[in-house]
Amino acid sequence: MTYLITGAAGFVGFHLCKRLLSEGKKVIGIDNLNDYYDVKLKKNRIKFLEELSSDIENWNFFEVDLIDKLKLEKIFNNYKPSIIINLAAQAGVRYSIDNPEIYLNSNIIGFGNILECCRKYSIENFLFASSSSVYGANTLVPFNEDHNVDHPVSLYAASKKSNEIIAHSYSHLFKIPITGLRLFTVYGPWGRPDMAPMIFAKSIFEKVAINIFNYGKMKRDFTYIDDVIEGIIRCSNKPATPDYEFDRSKPNPSTSLAPFRIFNLGNSEPIQIMKFIEVLEDIIGIKAIKNFSEMQPGDVETTYADCSKVNDWIDFIPQTSLIKGIEIFIDWYKDYYFEKKNI
C-alpha cells in the first residue's frame, strides 16, 4: 500500500509523512515549496523526512504544484498510490483578502486536478483537509457538521467550502470514498510561522508586542498536532461509506448516499487567546508585551468543534492537554531557532 501526501512540506503534511514513515509505510510526498512562509522551514522538514527514511523506496518527494496536471498524472501512473491525503492548499484567512487568485488556482483548480487523478487511477481512499473556517459567520457553538456553512467570511473559507462540494460530486459520480476533515487551529512542533502559536512565541522570546485582536475576546479550539495526525490515520484506515439512512427530504450535510463523509477534527475545548498566551508566558518564563486592537476582516470570534461524529466513526478522543502540548512546542522552538540556529 502506497500513500500519496500533498502538502508534504507543510505543517500537517510533514507530521503525517513522519508518522507513516516511522511505521514503515511507503510514502510519496508532493509540495510546491511556495514562499507564503519561510521556505527554509519547509526544506528542513523534507530534510528531516529524508533522514528518517533509510529505505529510499519508502520515501519519494516531488516538488510539484497541483496546478501541473501532467506531472501529477505521471506520478500517479508511475507509483500507483492507493490512499491519497490532500493537505496542499494556499493557507491563510487574511492573505486571501489581498490575493484571491492564488486561492482560486491552488485550492480549487489544483484540488480538481488531484480529484481527476483519483478518478482515473481508481484509488482506494481519498481524504482532504477542510477547515473550521467554513463555519464562517455561525454563532451557534459548538460547531456541528450538520450546521449550515453557506456563509463563509473569507475567500479561504469559501475555497474550503467549495472543496467539500466538488469532492461530494466526485464521490457521487465515480463512487470514490472521500472524507473531508475540518481541522481546528492545529499547533505543535514544526508549526506554521503565520499562525498564532508561532507568532506569539516569537514575539515573547524577542520581547516585542503581540497584536491581540478583538481586544482579547477570542477563543480557539487549539488542537495538538499528534492528535490531528491520529485522527487522519484512523480515517485513512476506514474509507467513507454511503449513509443508507440518508433522507433526501431532510439531507444530512455531513453524509450522503455516496461514499462521502465530513468530520470535525478538533480538541472540543475552546481556549481564550489570553489563556493561551498566559501558558506560553509561564513555560517560556517571559511576560508578553500586549497590543490590543479590533477584530480583523475575515476573522471569527470563536471556534469550537463538536467531535461526536468523528468519535463515533473512529473512536477519536484527543489525548494531549494544552499545557503538555505547549511544553513540547516550546522545547522544539528553542531547539530549532536557538540551538540549531535554524539549520
Side-chain angles (χ1 to χ4, degrees):
M1 181 178 294
T2 300
Y3 292 76
L4 186 147
I5 313 299
T6 71
F11 176 33
V12 179
F14 160 74
H15 279 276
L16 179 59
C17 291
K18 180 162 72 76
R19 168 75 179 269
L20 292 170
L21 289 170
S22 69
E23 295 177 352
K25 301 293 195 299
K26 292 185 177 181
V27 180
I28 301 162
I30 292 176
D31 203 290
N32 66 359
L33 298 176
N34 70 27
D35 61 359
Y36 169 66
Y37 66 78
D38 185 13
V39 176
K40 182 185 287 187
L41 176 61
K42 296 180 181 183
K43 290 182 177 180
N44 283 338
R45 290 172 181 151
I46 296 301
K47 181 180 178 182
F48 184 100
L49 295 174
E50 290 172 348
E51 293 173 350
L52 178 65
S53 178
S54 59
D55 185 351
I56 192 65
E57 292 185 0
N58 276 9
W59 169 246
N60 288 277
F61 175 73
F62 298 94
E63 186 176 345
V64 173
D65 195 305
L66 297 190
I67 294 297
D68 195 333
K69 189 176 179 182
L70 291 178
K71 286 185 179 178
L72 278 180
E73 290 185 346
K74 185 175 181 180
I75 292 169
F76 271 78
N77 185 60
N78 290 344
Y79 291 91
K80 306 294 190 299
S82 52
I83 296 178
I84 316 301
I85 304 177
N86 184 62
L87 302 173
Q90 177 57 56
V93 169
R94 295 171 193 129
Y95 190 71
S96 70
I97 295 172
D98 297 323
N99 302 277
E101 186 176 353
I102 296 174
Y103 290 76
L104 295 174
N105 286 332
S106 178
N107 297 9
I108 298 178
I109 296 175
F111 186 75
N113 286 342
I114 200 79
L115 279 170
E116 269 295 283
C117 289
C118 290
R119 177 180 72 86
K120 289 183 179 180
Y121 292 92
S122 302
I123 56 95
E124 295 178 13
N125 194 7
F126 178 71
L127 290 82
F128 69 96
S130 186
S131 169
S132 62
S133 66
V134 300
Y135 290 103
N138 292 14
T139 58
L140 180 62
V141 292
F143 295 150
N144 184 283
E145 297 92 335
D146 294 343
H147 292 172
N148 183 286
V149 291
D150 290 338
H151 301 87
V153 295
S154 71
L155 294 171
Y156 171 71
S159 72
K160 287 298 186 180
K161 165 68 174 176
S162 75
N163 286 172
E164 295 181 0
I165 297 171
I166 295 168
H168 178 268
S169 298
Y170 269 78
S171 178
H172 170 74
L173 291 169
F174 308 115
K175 310 308 177 188
I176 303 170
I178 297 180
T179 301
L181 298 171
R182 293 173 178 170
L183 307 185
F184 282 71
T185 317
V186 188
Y187 75 99
W190 297 92
R192 276 172 39 197
D194 64 313
M195 292 187 68
M198 287 277 278
I199 293 171
F200 292 167
K202 184 175 188 292
S203 297
I204 292 172
F205 277 115
E206 295 181 359
K207 299 182 181 179
V208 299
I210 296 174
N211 290 319
I212 302 174
F213 301 107
N214 199 31
Y215 303 98
K217 299 175 184 178
M218 307 274 274
K219 289 183 178 180
R220 289 292 180 267
D221 201 341
F222 289 102
T223 312
Y224 187 66
I225 183 63
D226 287 0
D227 293 323
V228 170
I229 297 305
E230 181 64 27
I232 294 173
I233 292 289
R234 293 190 185 195
C235 285
S236 74
N237 293 330
K238 186 176 181 179
T241 56
D243 178 3
Y244 295 108
E245 297 181 356
F246 188 81
D247 185 348
R248 289 175 183 260
S249 65
K250 298 177 181 179
N252 184 335
S254 64
T255 67
S256 174
L257 287 172
F260 179 82
R261 303 275 169 159
I262 291 289
F263 294 116
N264 288 336
L265 209 56
N267 199 46
S268 300
E269 291 186 13
I271 304 295
Q272 286 275 4
I273 290 293
M274 295 305 298
K275 173 63 176 177
F276 191 89
I277 293 172
E278 287 173 9
V279 175
L280 279 172
E281 290 174 322
D282 290 343
I283 293 172
I284 294 172
I286 303 172
K287 283 293 182 182
I289 303 169
K290 304 175 183 72
N291 177 36
F292 295 93
S293 60
E294 62 186 18
M295 182 95 78
Q296 287 198 310
D299 217 340
V300 297
E301 187 169 311
T302 300
T303 64
Y304 180 2
D306 177 347
C307 290
S308 55
K309 290 183 185 296
V310 75
N311 186 17
D312 289 343
W313 183 251
I314 56 167
D315 192 25
F316 172 78
I317 301 176
Q319 301 295 313
T320 311
S321 69
L322 180 69
I323 292 176
K324 182 63 176 177
I326 293 180
E327 285 177 343
I328 299 170
F329 164 59
I330 293 301
D331 283 345
W332 167 81
Y333 189 98
K334 290 190 290 188
D335 180 61
Y336 182 81
Y337 285 103
F338 300 149
E339 295 181 21
K340 292 185 178 178
K341 303 298 182 184
N342 210 359
I343 317 185

